[in-house]
Amino acid sequence: LPTQPVPPTQTTVPTATPAPTSTPTLLPSATQVTWELVYEQDFSGDSGWAELEGDGWAIGHSSGGYLISVDLTNAPIWSVRNQEFADVSLEVDAARTAGLQDGYYGLVCRHLDGDNYYALVIADDGFVGIGIVEQGEKLRFLQEGIVPPDVLKPAGTPNRLRADCIGDSLALYTNGVKLAEITDNTFDSGDSGLLAGTRKEAGL
């Protein structure tokens, strides 16, 4: 199906993230989380990410990056790395290179399969959202908002996106600014990856 391309064989996982700070309520012996960089990719060569296309969508390497093309309406298209993690902090430099400004792009975490995952995305029209696909239903945004002025870079210039999926908390940052955060416990682990999608009009 167009919204469920076959995932590749490895996994995108957390970039280095500062460990949470202690609070007065923690016991002196409490252990802080230590993050480890376990995967990094610049897509300059054969990265192992999927090269696939279907009726109205395509994913693969292009111009030194990784391109997700969506010529469908109301369609999220994803690509993930197959290695399961629970708590992750993901980062990607991403940009809309062509298509409508309301087409969204971002990160996927806790991806169980094409019918079950979280998506944390922005769009160049200022939209920001944290969404869920559950039991094959249409992508539903649990939180939506508008990016504050001067956070997004000019069209075509990559934005640094960060998605933290830690415990029951899901948070999305863009260029160092937290834009959205929710609490949801539907999924507690899964694969991670990239996603782009359209709303009422095709072309992204």
Side-chain angles (χ1 to χ4, degrees):
L1 296 176
T3 55
Q4 299 178 20
V6 177
T9 56
Q10 303 175 18
T11 301
T12 291
V13 288
T15 57
T17 301
T21 56
S22 298
T23 65
T25 58
L26 292 178
L27 298 174
S29 60
T31 302
Q32 292 184 335
V33 174
T34 300
W35 289 101
E36 177 187 0
L37 176 62
V38 295
Y39 180 79
E40 186 173 19
Q41 179 58 247
D42 65 7
F43 298 112
S44 60
D46 181 10
S47 69
W49 285 69
E51 300 269 357
L52 298 167
E53 62 180 282
D55 186 12
W57 62 270
I59 56 176
H61 298 79
S62 177
S63 302
Y66 193 73
L67 181 68
I68 300 177
S69 176
V70 189
D71 196 20
L72 303 165
T73 58
N74 295 309
I77 302 296
W78 49 262
S79 181
V80 298
R81 308 285 287 185
N82 292 337
Q83 187 176 351
E84 184 174 336
F85 286 90
D87 293 346
V88 294
S89 182
L90 311 164
E91 289 187 350
V92 65
D93 293 322
R96 176 182 62 92
T97 57
L100 298 169
Q101 284 194 341
D102 68 352
Y104 54 85
Y105 56 94
L107 292 152
V108 172
C109 72
R110 298 181 177 171
H111 181 281
L112 303 180
D113 52 38
D115 292 336
N116 299 279
Y117 60 86
Y118 292 118
L120 298 90
V121 301
I122 63 167
D124 283 355
D125 67 357
F127 172 82
V128 58
I130 299 178
I132 186 173
V133 172
E134 186 179 6
Q135 297 182 356
E137 296 293 329
K138 178 182 174 183
L139 175 64
R140 172 172 54 95
F141 286 102
L142 304 173
Q143 184 178 89
E144 300 180 358
I146 300 296
V147 179
D150 303 321
V151 172
L152 293 180
K153 295 184 178 179
T157 304
N159 292 288
R160 171 62 61 92
L161 307 183
R162 172 180 145 198
D164 287 353
C165 304
I166 302 170
D168 292 344
S169 176
L170 306 172
L172 175 63
Y173 298 75
T174 299
N175 300 321
V177 178
K178 183 188 283 188
L179 301 179
E181 184 173 20
I182 65 165
T183 298
D184 189 86
N185 61 5
T186 306
F187 311 128
D188 58 10
S189 65
D191 301 333
S192 304
L194 307 171
L195 175 143
T198 55
R199 289 185 265 186
K200 294 182 179 179
E201 297 185 62
L204 177 67

